[in-house]
Amino acid sequence: MKRLKINYLFIGLVTVLLALALWPSIPWYGGGKDALSQIKSRGVLRISTVNSPLTYYTINNAPAGMDYELAKRFADYLGVKLEVTVRPNLGDLFDDLDDGKADLLAAGLIYNGERLAHYQSGPSYYSVSQQLVYRIDKPRPKNLGDLKGRLIVQSGSAYLSTLRSAKADSYPDLDWAISTDQGQKALLEAVADGKLDYTVGDSVTIGLLQRIHPQLAVAFDITDEEPVTWYLPRNEDDSLNAAMLDFYSQMGEEGAMARLEEKYLGHVGTFDYVDTRTFLRAIDNTLPDIKPLFEKYSASMDWRLLAAISYQESHWNPQATSPTGVRGMMMLTRNTADSLDVNDRLDPEQSIRGGSEYLQRMMEKVPETIPEDERIWFALAAYNMGYAHMLDVRKLTQKQGGNPDSWADVKLRLPMLSQKRYYTQTTYGYARGHEAYNYVENIRKYQISLVGYLQEQEKRLARQSALEAELGAGYPAVEPKIAMN
């Protein structure tokens, strides 16, 4: 009996250990816990998203994007790691919620009442309008009843309910097709490439893509501004949503949300078709010869940022000269050039080296209280109008109740340095602050265009190589799946 009892104890112990090992993989694991407790027990916040110029992308092999950064901060707030799953379309995103593979969707999704029957929305973190787009060299439609061609929109998007309402209320002849395997970005690019007549997108994504595809034109707004939100499963458990509300409130109080909006949305602004086209042509025709110099002297900054600065300064013209006497690729003054051992300001290599070194000096002088990813904008303002005036505008910002360490707050005060009622309150007086404002904003736009355009070139070459390989192997090309409305 004693031997049998010991065997039973051994079997029981093995059973307990096996159960503990398999417990996390059992579907009903954590069934007695709320969603927030399950995430903390798991130690991982799982989000699903899409690849887009705003939500999630990679740069220099590192993840970036507004939704990614916001989700990473939320995971840090919860004390867990972040796990990101990138899906090709909206249908797969919501499948992840339905199948319990994601805790929330962070993909720049517009608030949509039809979704609330199955999902709950989180707080709004920015707003967009729905816009109809066409190619700029085609006739511009005046309204949804004036369309002459194919309109295709993304499957599962909020645009579908908007179009259905428009058809029912005002445009009974309105018709469209639904793309089941192309996302918003791909459809917008198809319009820009002349492969599609019309599609619908959100104003922010369109504004960002126009920096890379200037042929993309906005015909009109279909809706007023609408909130963008995250989505969660709909059930009686509000623990995760409650934590999210507290997190967003904390982000707002600390000014972190405003900084995130400034970083990703602050430079979208107005779009200049001619300037963008000119810049993209310069990328194709001029940049290849001078790219090695930007790579060589970029030091700790991204070479593409240094290239954007140089384009803003001289449009990559080594002979550029201004009426005030600044010259060369980086438009250095004589005194600055002397301090940097630049003997010939018209020599591209000397100018780029000197400009980079001077900017590094400005970066080193920027107060350490300014966040790392915003220091460059303060340094560029100082590069343009002088370090002393940058100190002035920070003091003016603080005096007016703003945050002198936040570029979003400081840049709004830059134009005040050229207004007597304000510059008389400063230590160093008048400065062309409005020029410094435009200077930094233009550089940010050029950087976005340059990064995106070069990435698109790489993807295009990769697709072409893959297609050539498939054709060489005898595989037929596959047409995109389109479901007719």
Side-chain angles (χ1 to χ4, degrees):
M1 289 295 294
K2 185 174 182 181
R3 182 181 179 86
L4 187 61
K5 185 175 182 181
I6 292 175
N7 286 341
Y8 276 129
L9 288 172
F10 177 75
I11 292 170
L13 179 61
V14 171
T15 302
V16 170
L17 292 174
L18 184 62
L20 289 173
L22 295 176
W23 189 271
S25 64
I26 298 175
W28 42 263
Y29 166 66
K33 298 180 180 179
D34 58 39
L36 184 59
S37 298
Q38 290 186 46
I39 290 169
K40 291 187 174 182
S41 296
R42 189 192 312 130
V44 174
L45 173 68
R46 305 166 305 167
I47 71 164
S48 287
T49 188
V50 293
N51 194 302
S52 87
L54 180 63
T55 57
Y56 180 88
Y57 57 93
T58 56
I59 181 169
N60 296 330
N61 298 317
M66 186 170 183
D67 284 272
Y68 168 77
E69 280 204 39
L70 193 56
K72 181 66 172 65
R73 295 186 188 204
F74 185 41
D76 292 342
Y77 166 84
L78 297 178
V80 299
K81 295 180 180 179
L82 179 67
E83 180 182 287
V84 180
T85 299
V86 180
R87 296 300 187 189
N89 55 58
L90 298 185
D92 289 342
L93 283 184
F94 285 98
D95 284 345
D96 281 352
L97 276 190
D98 295 337
D99 298 338
K101 295 179 179 178
D103 301 307
L104 59 87
L105 305 183
L109 298 171
I110 296 174
Y111 178 89
N112 179 253
E114 293 182 2
R115 291 175 177 153
L116 298 184
H118 305 286
Y119 311 100
Q120 56 179 326
S121 63
S124 169
Y125 51 110
Y126 66 97
S127 298
V128 297
S129 58
Q130 297 182 34
Q131 297 177 325
L132 185 107
V133 296
Y134 69 109
R135 186 178 162 93
I136 198 167
D137 57 357
K138 304 294 183 181
R140 178 178 181 174
K142 299 176 182 178
N143 53 52
L144 289 173
D146 193 32
L147 304 188
K148 296 176 176 63
R150 288 194 310 157
L151 167 62
I152 300 178
V153 292
Q154 182 182 8
S155 173
S157 66
Y159 314 134
L160 291 172
S161 58
T162 300
L163 292 176
R164 286 193 290 266
S165 296
K167 183 180 179 71
D169 297 340
S170 306
Y171 305 101
D173 295 329
L174 178 63
D175 198 13
W176 62 89
I178 301 172
S179 174
T180 58
D181 66 348
Q182 288 181 297
Q184 175 182 219
K185 181 173 179 287
L187 291 172
L188 290 169
E189 289 172 342
V191 173
D193 292 339
K195 298 176 181 178
L196 175 63
D197 298 305
Y198 312 107
T199 192
V200 179
D202 73 78
S203 52
V204 170
T205 300
I206 292 168
L208 289 171
L209 277 179
Q210 283 179 316
R211 308 288 175 202
I212 309 168
H213 303 283
Q215 304 89 345
L216 195 64
V218 176
F220 51 83
D221 286 1
I222 300 177
T223 67
D224 294 329
E225 287 203 344
E226 303 170 304
V228 172
T229 181
W230 288 350
Y231 282 92
L232 304 83
R234 172 163 291 284
N235 49 48
E236 296 180 358
D237 176 15
D238 289 327
S239 60
L240 184 57
N241 211 340
M244 197 183 304
L245 285 168
D246 185 62
F247 164 71
Y248 272 69
S249 176
Q250 181 177 305
M251 288 278 288
E253 291 173 1
E254 295 174 351
M257 185 64 79
R259 288 180 172 178
L260 203 60
E261 290 176 357
E262 167 60 28
K263 180 176 181 179
Y264 287 102
L265 305 176
H267 56 286
V268 176
T270 57
F271 169 66
D272 187 322
Y273 171 79
V274 174
D275 183 60
T276 304
R277 287 279 294 177
T278 302
F279 179 53
L280 297 183
R281 288 196 188 100
I283 294 175
D284 288 332
N285 302 324
T286 308
L287 181 61
D289 291 335
I290 53 177
K291 174 183 172 183
L293 295 177
F294 294 125
E295 292 176 320
K296 181 178 180 179
Y297 294 109
S298 57
S300 60
M301 78 178 76
D302 188 328
W303 74 265
R304 293 166 293 193
L305 173 58
L306 184 59
I309 296 168
S310 178
Y311 186 82
Q312 169 63 24
E313 290 285 1
S314 65
H315 282 210
W316 295 332
N317 176 11
Q319 303 298 315
T321 303
S322 82
T324 58
V326 294
R327 308 182 75 182
M329 294 280 285
M330 300 297 289
M331 298 297 272
L332 302 175
T333 66
R334 179 70 271 170
N335 290 338
T336 300
D338 289 342
S339 71
L340 297 163
D341 294 325
V342 172
N343 301 318
D344 183 359
R345 288 180 290 167
L346 301 184
D347 177 73
E349 183 162 5
Q350 289 192 48
S351 183
I352 291 171
R353 174 187 61 78
S356 178
E357 289 180 6
Y358 185 68
L359 184 58
Q360 292 297 325
R361 291 182 186 179
M362 292 296 104
M363 286 283 286
E364 291 169 2
K365 294 172 70 175
V366 170
E368 293 183 359
T369 52
I370 295 172
E372 185 66 30
D373 59 352
E374 295 188 34
R375 294 170 65 84
I376 182 61
W377 313 127
F378 287 84
L380 284 172
Y383 185 99
N384 178 259
M385 66 180 181
Y387 186 77
H389 294 301
M390 193 271 283
L391 295 179
D392 271 350
V393 75
R394 293 184 74 243
K395 291 178 182 178
L396 185 61
T397 300
Q398 188 170 30
K399 186 175 182 179
Q400 294 184 352
N403 182 352
D405 294 335
S406 169
W407 179 248
D409 286 358
V410 170
K411 78 172 189 177
L412 296 178
R413 275 80 180 184
L414 280 170
M416 297 179 184
L417 294 182
S418 58
Q419 300 174 32
K420 188 174 182 179
R421 58 181 294 197
Y422 295 112
Y423 71 70
T424 52
Q425 304 175 33
T426 66
T427 302
Y428 298 98
Y430 173 87
R432 294 190 295 271
H434 59 287
E435 290 185 9
Y437 175 93
N438 292 329
Y439 176 82
V440 178
E441 291 299 286
N442 287 342
I443 288 171
R444 297 179 71 182
K445 292 172 186 177
Y446 290 140
Q447 184 188 18
I448 286 289
S449 291
L450 181 55
V451 170
Y453 191 69
L454 293 179
Q455 287 179 339
E456 288 298 313
Q457 284 184 332
E458 292 175 1
K459 291 177 183 177
R460 194 177 303 115
L461 289 173
R463 286 195 298 266
Q464 184 177 345
S465 298
L467 180 60
E468 290 174 353
E470 287 185 5
L471 292 175
Y475 293 113
V478 179
E479 289 292 328
K481 300 175 184 177
I482 301 293
M484 297 305 296
N485 175 51

